[in-house]
Structure formats: C-alpha cells, structure tokens
Amino acid sequence: MTSKQPTEAADAIDAAGPRRKRSNRILWIAGPLVVALVAGYFYITAGRYTSTDNAYVQADQVTIAPQISGRVVEVAVRENQQVRKGDLLFRIDPEPLQIAVEQMEAQIEAAGDYLNASRDTYRSASADLRASEATLRNHEAQLQRVRELRARGIVAQKALDDADNDVATARGSRDADAAALAKARTMLGGAVNTPLTELSGYKVALAQLAKAKLDLSHAEVRAPIDGTVGKTHLQAGDFLNVGQAAMPLVSHTVWVEGNFKETDLTHVRVGQPAEIEVDTYPGHTWTATVSSISPAAGSQFSILPAQNATGNWVKIVQRIPVRFEITTGDEDGLILRAGMSADVKIDTGKQNSLLGRWTGKTGPDSKVAMTR
C-alpha cells in the first residue's frame, strides 16, 4: 500500500506536464498578440480625439437699461423669473411724458395757426407792395412835372425839393413792403400755396411730437428676448437715468465654449462632432458640433496683450476659444445655465496608418473655417 502511492503521484505529475506545456505555449502566443492589438488600436486612434476641461456653458446676456430717465413706478418681474419677448419688465412714471405729448400737440395746432396767419401776412404784404409801387410811380410822375415847371420858372425851388423828398419816401416804403413780402414768402416755404404738412416749421413740430410719443412708449420697458431675469435690486421708487443698468436678462439659448491649447487644435475643423459632459450632471453626455474657432488666442483680446518682443520672454502655450453648438434635444429636467463647467471631447476623424505615413496623409484634408 505504501509503495503504490508514490507511483500514482508520479503518474499524475507525468500527465500534468503536457498540459502545462500546452498552457505556456498558448500564453506565449496569445500574450504578444493581445499586446500588438492594443498597441495597434492606440496607434490608429492616436490624435483622433482632443479634449479639454477648460470649457464653460455660455449664453447671450442683455443688460436692460431705460432709454429715458425717470422714477420707477412698477417692477413687474422678480429675480430669476423667466420672461418671453415683449413681457413688461418695469414701468417708469409716464405722467411727465404724457404732459410733453399734450404740449407738443398744442404746439402743432399753434404752428398750424401761425402758418395760416403767415399766409394772410403774405397777402397783406403783397397788397401793401402794390400800393407802395403805385404811390412811387405817382410821385415819380409828379417829380417830372415839377422839374419841367421849375425849368420854365413857374414854380419855386421848394416845390422841386418837396417832390424829390416825396419820391424818396415812396421808394423807401416800396422797399420795406418788398422785404416784408419776401419774409412772408420765406415763412411759407417760397410759395403761398405750399401745403401745411410740407412747411419746415410744421415738420419740426411734427418731429418733436413724434419724439415725445416715442419717449412715452419707452416708459414701459419690455423684454427684448426670451430669457431669465438675473440678479437685480430694482424697486419701485428708484430713479433711473438714460442708459443706467437696471437688470440683466440671460437668454435661453446656450452654447459651450472650450478653451483648447493651441497644440491640440492641429486637426480640429468646423463641423466636427463633439461630446460634452457638464459637471452638474455627471454621467450625462450632450452631443455637439464645432460651430466656430476664434480667429485669435484669448490673450489677444485682453486689455493688456502680452508684449513678447520686449524684455525677457518665456514661451507659454496659448488657449484658443472654440464654440460648440449643442445638437442634443431638450433633456427632461437637465437645464444648462451660463457659467457651468464642462468637459469637451472632439472627434477629429484623424487616424494614423502605415499607408498614411508613407503617402504623407495622416488625416482628412479640410479647410479651417474661421467665424465669430
């Protein structure tokens, strides 16, 4: 019994030997193959995707400011309230503006009466001019007769002097009446029959009335776009000047702006697909496309751009803004708000290949579109 057990153990060892050799052979073959496949995958896809976590949700923002000055009498919205285009935001006291409209309407009527009176003045001046011209002709004829009589010695020199004086007086009256007529004609636009609405004075009054009505319409400040009211402290009773910021309005239309390193944009083109993850909603992905690439690095738009041609210089990789248009439809309960942090990954479609290495083509040949 004792001698039989070592024999069985030896037989088991002899039987396990071929199996172990077979397993080792499989590992020696499969191991390098798996490594080659993994390395090939990473080689082919290397450079296809570029990503950044320096990305943020953006939205258009409008600063609401009045176009007239006045005291606020009503605030129709509250902070963080959603509004539609045309909704009332706040109202400025309209009473002074209504008074201005009524005043200009009265001035329009007064201008009409004044211009109608100018027509009567023109007719009167025209009649006066005709009378003064007739008087002048009469005195000139009288002067001629007195000269003839004086030449014959029939009348005294005083009579001739009086006739000369009458002609000079009549000529002066004629000139004054002619000037009055010219003035009346100018007030009527050069012609007595010019329509009232074509006269410059009446047009000025109409323009002032239109301005007063426009100011009155601006007493009600309404939303220019669909959006959400931002942080505001506006209260009834506050006085606002023209152009003074009253409240911000953030648009409902959002996009994502990613600030990529310049070295990561080698194969990025407008129209390429992208995926976006927002930190607020981990695990959820939005699909998007590259809608535009900034024409300059972000540092170029700063108040004090870098002056690399002076002093000591250290090379720093620049960031270039890339805008993404979200193509995913509305997500239930997932609201994107301006300023949220995001991660962006772009599929450039670029793939490595031995054929590409040999021919010098390592990616799609497309033009870069530079837009806003």
Side-chain angles (χ1 to χ4, degrees):
M1 192 69 179
T2 303
S3 61
K4 185 178 180 180
Q5 290 178 349
T7 303
E8 292 176 352
D11 293 339
I13 292 173
D14 293 338
R19 288 197 298 271
R20 186 179 300 109
K21 292 179 180 179
R22 199 162 43 250
S23 298
N24 291 338
R25 190 178 302 114
I26 293 174
L27 289 175
W28 278 105
I29 296 174
L33 181 60
V34 170
V35 171
L37 291 175
V38 172
Y41 171 79
F42 282 106
Y43 171 76
I44 292 175
T45 60
R48 175 174 178 175
Y49 298 95
T50 182
S51 61
T52 183
D53 58 358
N54 187 351
Y56 302 91
V57 179
Q58 303 286 351
D60 289 326
Q61 180 173 319
V62 179
T63 300
I64 304 300
Q67 294 179 265
I68 58 170
S69 60
R71 192 167 301 281
V72 178
V73 295
E74 179 187 358
V75 180
V77 295
R78 62 184 183 277
E79 192 171 301
N80 302 330
Q81 178 179 335
Q82 294 188 1
V83 296
R84 305 288 295 178
K85 181 179 180 180
D87 288 350
L88 177 65
L89 300 179
F90 60 91
R91 182 181 287 108
I92 293 176
D93 186 6
E95 185 173 356
L97 305 172
Q98 182 63 46
I99 293 174
V101 170
E102 294 173 357
Q103 180 181 2
M104 290 311 307
E105 289 175 344
Q107 288 188 8
I108 289 259
E109 295 178 1
D113 294 340
Y114 175 77
L115 293 173
N116 287 328
S118 296
R119 286 193 174 92
D120 296 335
T121 302
Y122 177 86
R123 296 187 182 96
S124 176
S126 179
D128 291 342
L129 178 61
R130 289 194 298 270
S132 61
E133 286 177 343
T135 300
L136 176 60
R137 287 194 298 271
N138 181 52
H139 283 298
E140 287 176 342
Q142 182 67 19
L143 175 61
Q144 182 63 29
R145 287 192 296 270
V146 171
R147 283 176 177 173
E148 293 176 355
L149 294 174
R150 176 59 184 163
R152 294 159 53 185
I154 299 176
V155 297
Q157 181 64 35
K158 183 178 182 305
L160 180 59
D161 294 340
D162 290 341
D164 282 333
N165 184 61
D166 290 340
V167 169
T169 302
R171 186 175 288 114
S173 298
R174 192 276 314 270
D175 293 342
D177 291 339
L181 181 64
K183 179 180 178 181
R185 184 185 296 112
T186 302
M187 294 298 297
L188 294 173
V192 67
N193 295 323
T194 303
L196 189 64
T197 55
E198 296 297 325
L199 296 176
S200 59
Y202 196 78
K203 287 182 178 180
V204 170
L206 287 177
Q208 292 175 343
L209 176 61
K211 175 63 167 56
K213 289 182 176 180
L214 181 63
D215 289 343
L216 180 60
S217 67
H218 289 158
E220 293 186 348
V221 180
R222 299 184 177 273
I225 58 173
D226 297 343
T228 302
V229 178
K231 190 174 185 62
T232 178
H233 299 288
L234 186 65
Q235 299 292 332
D238 291 344
F239 188 90
L240 296 177
N241 293 312
V242 177
Q244 181 179 345
M247 62 181 63
L249 183 62
V250 182
S251 172
H252 290 160
T253 303
V254 298
W255 70 90
V256 173
E257 182 179 85
N259 302 298
F260 286 80
K261 294 180 181 179
E262 56 184 320
T263 53
D264 292 338
L265 295 179
T266 305
H267 304 290
V268 174
R269 304 291 185 270
V270 172
Q272 290 175 342
E275 293 181 353
I276 298 173
E277 291 187 7
V278 180
D279 293 356
T280 307
Y281 308 109
H284 186 83
T285 301
W286 279 265
T287 59
T289 57
V290 177
S291 63
S292 64
I293 302 173
S294 174
S299 60
Q300 295 299 308
F301 299 108
S302 63
I303 298 177
L304 296 174
Q307 300 296 325
N308 295 327
T310 60
N312 296 329
W313 171 75
V314 177
K315 184 173 183 178
I316 299 175
V317 177
Q318 299 297 306
R319 296 272 181 172
I320 297 180
V322 178
R323 179 167 175 161
F324 297 89
E325 179 183 355
I326 299 175
T327 57
T328 305
D330 295 337
E331 301 290 337
D332 295 336
L334 303 182
I335 301 176
L336 296 179
R337 294 178 172 86
M340 286 182 171
S341 300
D343 294 339
V344 180
K345 181 172 70 173
I346 303 174
D347 183 0
T348 65
K350 182 262 182 185
Q351 294 185 0
N352 285 321
S353 65
L354 293 178
L355 179 61
R357 294 291 186 180
W358 292 335
T359 60
K361 296 181 179 180
T362 59
D365 184 13
S366 60
K367 296 181 179 179
V368 178
M370 293 297 184
T371 61
R372 69 182 180 93

